[in-house]
Structure formats: C-alpha cells, structure tokens
Amino acid sequence: MRESRIGVLSGGGDCAGINPAIKWMVKTALDERLQSERSIRYNVLGIKDGWKGLIEVEPEELSVQDYIIPLSQEIVRTWDRYGGTMLGTSRANPYDPKNDQSKRVLANIEKLRLDALVVIGGDDTLGVAHRLEEEGVKVVGIPKTIDKDLPETDYTLGFETAVNVITEEIDRLRTTAGSHKRIFIVETMGRHTGWLALEGGESSGAFMILIPEHDFSLDKINELVLEGRRGGARYEIVVVAEGTKPLGDKEFVRQEGVDSFGHKFLGGVGDFLAREIQEATKLETRSINLSHLQRGGAPCAYDRRMGRYFGIAAMDLVAMGYFGNMVCVRNGKISACPIANIIGRPQFIDVDTQYDVERYNGRRTILRTLEKKHAQR
C-alpha cells in the first residue's frame, strides 16, 4: 500500500466551521476501511498559522514543531465543537509584492514531502493556493469566509454562525433601545458585500439594513426613521455593513494603508450614521461595531454539518486526484468547481431581487418572479 502526505492549513480570518472541516478531513483520510479501498495510506500534517507556517518553518530544524503537527483521529476527535481554528491562522501573503516569499513556500512544501495541500479560506487564501497550483502544487480548496462572498458556492463556512451572533446581539440591544427610546446603529463585517448585514438584519427584524451594493441617502434614512416614530415605533435598529457608503461618497476606513493582500481597513460608517441621524432627527442615537464578535464562539449546528461535508468532500477530491478544485454546494448538493473560477469574482447581493431600495431592508415580495414568468408565457 503506497503512502501519501497531505498538508492542511487555514488562512485569513478565523471563524466557526474550520475545525469541523479539519476534523472530518483527517478522519476521512485516516479511515482504515477507506484506506484499504483506495490502497493508499494517508498521513496528515497540520500547518500552523496559515501561509505563515509554510513561510517560516525550517523543516531541517527542531523549529518544525512550531509550525507542523501530525494529525491523528484522536487529536481531532473533539475539534468540531470549537470555534476558530485549532491550527491557528494569519493573513500572511506569500506573494506579497513588497516581500515575495513564494519560492520559500514552494521549497518548504518539497522539503516536507507534501503530496497535496488542503487549503481552507476565502478569496485571498484560495488565491494563493491557485498561484501555487500554477507552479505545480497539488491543491484542494474548502470555502471559508463569514462574508459569504465567494462565487460558485451557495455557502461558505462560518457564515451562519456569524449571522446567529448578529441576531443574538441585536436581541440584547432591543431591551436597552426600547428602555431609552434610542436608535442603535449596528455595524457588521462583510467588506464590499452585504450578506452578513442583510441576513443578520432580516433574522433580527431590523428596522433598516444598509448594504454596500446600494449607496444610501441620509435624507431618506432620516425620513424613514421619523416615519417610524410617527407610526408608533419606540426605537429603531439599523444594521449597516462596514463597506456601505453614502451616495456620491466613498467607503469609510478605520486606519490608513492596506493589508498584505491590498485591502483597505474598512470601518466607521456606524459612528458616522449615528452622528448624522441624531443631529438631523434630534433622536438619541448610538452605534455599536460587532467587529470580531461575529467571528467568535462555537460553531452552530449548520456550520458543524457543513464543515463535516466539506472536509469529507475535500478528501474525496484528493483521493480522486481532482486537484485545483474547491469543494462547493449548489442547490443543496455538495460538488466541486475549479479554484480559478472564484478568484477575484466576489458574489454580490442582487439588489433587484434581494433588497428593497424603498425601505432600505430585505425584500417584501418573494414570489412575484413567478407572476412575471406566467405573464411572459
């Protein structure tokens, strides 16, 4: 029986669902019945701290223990109940134009005798995997991002748990908002897509939801707030994604510069809205940025199941030799797509069908598309 060494790493932001994926990828790789069927005995090496681990590891020295951990079924047995990533992560970019470390990563992959690499991440992390694939590395991807902004897949690990956190925190805000007749602006993550804000806002019944896919008018926001008060509302919850911007203006940044992947550090739109709304309406308005709370906590049931399915499917791709592909889910079925198809193609909210531009909220009609189809027949 031949042997094969598989590396697994998680890169980018942490989130719930990564550990279940690693657990079930390892359990599938090391399953004795499957190994007998495949005539391959797999060894799995966990790579710590994402791409940083493959940049800084010295395979010939004892420091290899700082970045590489052999994974067994016993080690990963309980991982699926924990959030974050037990392997650690980082936003290191081996192809950073200011400090290109890609040759070192390639050399370390060879020194570690890795036959394939399972990479868990979003657009940035999988973008690195794609470039390594072009240089001859056998890679398989697992989609992970609370932003849920990858194309080709209906789900990315971490999203549902993050939506649950948003919903729970807004439920808590309601009691203080109602007690003091306040407006609360809740800023979520999401970068340039509004999935977290939209689905978190819909789940929590937010009064307004503001998304990057549709620039907002301050005048219209103030009108809607006052209209709500005239209708008897005691308080309002407004959910806004960090990349949302006013009409004719640019997005807000919390600090100058960009990260190693060239992304701006977005944030501050919530504070801006709170000041502007209070000044215009004279209603007490506060803002809260949920920030990294959205990434934390144990994975919800859905992320545990999807992590399991994605981890198993990733090892299926490895065993079949279908490298250069990412596990995905479409219409409820687990499948795969080329990693090349997802790079640099963020999946945005379709404002025409998924957003109400008059109410600045989730859609209020769902089956109208059926009516239009019947009318066209």
Side-chain angles (χ1 to χ4, degrees):
M1 183 179 293
R2 68 184 179 90
E3 296 198 359
S4 181
R5 286 162 68 92
I6 311 297
V8 58
L9 65 83
S10 54
D14 70 297
C15 68
I18 299 174
N19 287 325
I22 296 171
K23 169 181 174 173
W24 285 100
M25 176 250 162
V26 172
K27 284 181 68 67
T28 305
L30 304 184
D31 185 279
E32 291 184 359
R33 290 186 181 87
L34 290 176
Q35 287 187 352
S36 178
E37 291 174 11
R38 295 165 173 167
S39 297
I40 302 177
R41 178 178 289 109
Y42 289 108
N43 294 300
V44 183
L45 299 182
I47 299 163
K48 299 180 183 179
D49 301 337
W51 296 119
K52 180 182 177 182
L54 281 178
I55 292 172
E56 298 194 1
V57 67
E58 298 283 355
E60 303 91 345
E61 301 178 8
L62 289 176
S63 67
V64 70
Q65 298 173 10
D66 296 331
Y67 294 104
I68 305 297
I69 174 174
L71 296 178
S72 67
Q73 294 198 55
E74 182 58 30
I75 287 174
V76 302
R77 184 176 61 85
T78 62
W79 282 20
D80 54 345
R81 66 193 70 167
Y82 298 112
T85 165
M86 302 293 275
L87 291 180
T89 188
S90 70
R91 295 191 183 278
N93 177 11
Y95 290 95
D96 185 344
K98 296 179 181 178
N99 183 26
D100 193 314
Q101 297 286 319
S102 58
K103 298 303 180 186
R104 183 175 175 83
V105 168
L106 288 165
N108 283 335
I109 289 173
E110 185 173 348
K111 290 176 183 178
L112 290 167
R113 295 181 288 112
L114 296 179
D115 298 303
L117 199 58
V118 175
V119 178
I120 307 171
D123 182 77
D124 294 331
T125 303
L126 294 175
V128 171
H130 175 58
R131 295 185 69 171
L132 290 173
E133 178 209 352
E134 292 180 319
E135 300 199 55
V137 179
K138 294 177 179 178
V139 299
V140 164
I142 294 178
K144 175 276 314 175
T145 168
I146 64 172
D147 300 339
K148 204 183 77 166
D149 61 351
L150 295 181
E152 303 289 339
T153 184
D154 294 336
Y155 192 71
T156 60
L157 295 179
F159 178 75
E160 197 65 26
T161 302
V163 169
N164 285 352
V165 171
I166 292 169
T167 305
E168 290 166 6
E169 295 306 317
I170 289 176
D171 283 348
R172 290 182 174 89
L173 280 176
R174 287 186 182 282
T175 58
T176 184
S179 297
H180 294 272
K181 299 181 70 174
R182 286 175 179 151
I183 301 168
F184 267 96
I185 313 298
V186 181
E187 183 175 328
T188 71
M189 289 180 171
R191 201 170 285 165
H192 297 291
T193 60
W195 295 106
L196 273 177
L198 179 62
E199 298 196 30
E202 288 177 334
S203 299
S204 60
F207 179 72
M208 260 187 281
I209 303 169
L210 307 175
I211 58 175
E213 291 87 345
H214 187 76
D215 295 350
F216 62 81
S217 160
L218 275 171
D219 290 339
K220 186 166 188 175
I221 288 174
N222 293 330
E223 288 173 11
L224 288 169
V225 167
L226 293 173
E227 179 183 299
R229 288 299 170 103
R230 288 193 296 269
R234 184 175 175 84
Y235 68 93
E236 292 81 16
I237 302 291
V238 179
V239 179
V240 58
E242 62 187 356
T244 309
K245 59 185 187 299
L247 281 167
D249 211 335
K250 57 185 179 180
E251 68 268 286
F252 294 82
V253 294
R254 52 187 167 83
Q255 69 182 67
E256 294 301 318
V258 295
D259 65 16
S260 62
F261 287 96
H263 300 301
K264 296 178 181 178
F265 300 102
L266 299 179
V269 63
D271 290 339
F272 167 80
L273 282 168
R275 290 193 304 268
E276 295 295 322
I277 292 172
Q278 180 162 309
E279 182 176 338
T281 65
K282 309 307 177 188
L283 297 171
E284 186 177 0
T285 308
R286 303 287 180 88
S287 71
I288 181 168
N289 188 340
L290 295 183
S291 188
H292 290 81
L293 283 173
Q294 294 156 93
R295 295 193 179 282
C300 66
Y302 190 73
D303 270 319
R304 296 185 195 200
R305 295 200 309 279
M306 293 308 296
R308 176 180 181 137
Y309 303 153
F310 282 0
I312 292 171
M315 271 311 302
D316 285 343
L317 291 177
V318 171
M320 293 186 296
Y322 288 0
F323 298 109
N325 285 290
M326 178 190 81
V327 178
C328 62
V329 58
R330 278 296 178 91
N331 300 319
K333 295 183 178 180
I334 305 295
S335 184
C337 68
I339 296 176
N341 288 359
I342 71 163
I343 306 304
R345 295 176 53 234
Q347 179 171 264
F348 296 105
I349 292 169
D350 184 342
V351 174
D352 291 336
T353 61
Q354 296 172 295
Y355 189 68
D356 187 332
V357 298
E358 297 301 320
R359 296 181 177 89
Y360 284 169
N361 210 305
R363 57 187 171 173
R364 292 293 179 90
T365 61
I366 293 177
L367 299 181
R368 290 289 295 277
T369 53
L370 294 179
E371 182 181 40
K372 292 179 181 178
K373 287 181 181 178
H374 285 298
Q376 291 171 355
R377 290 179 179 176

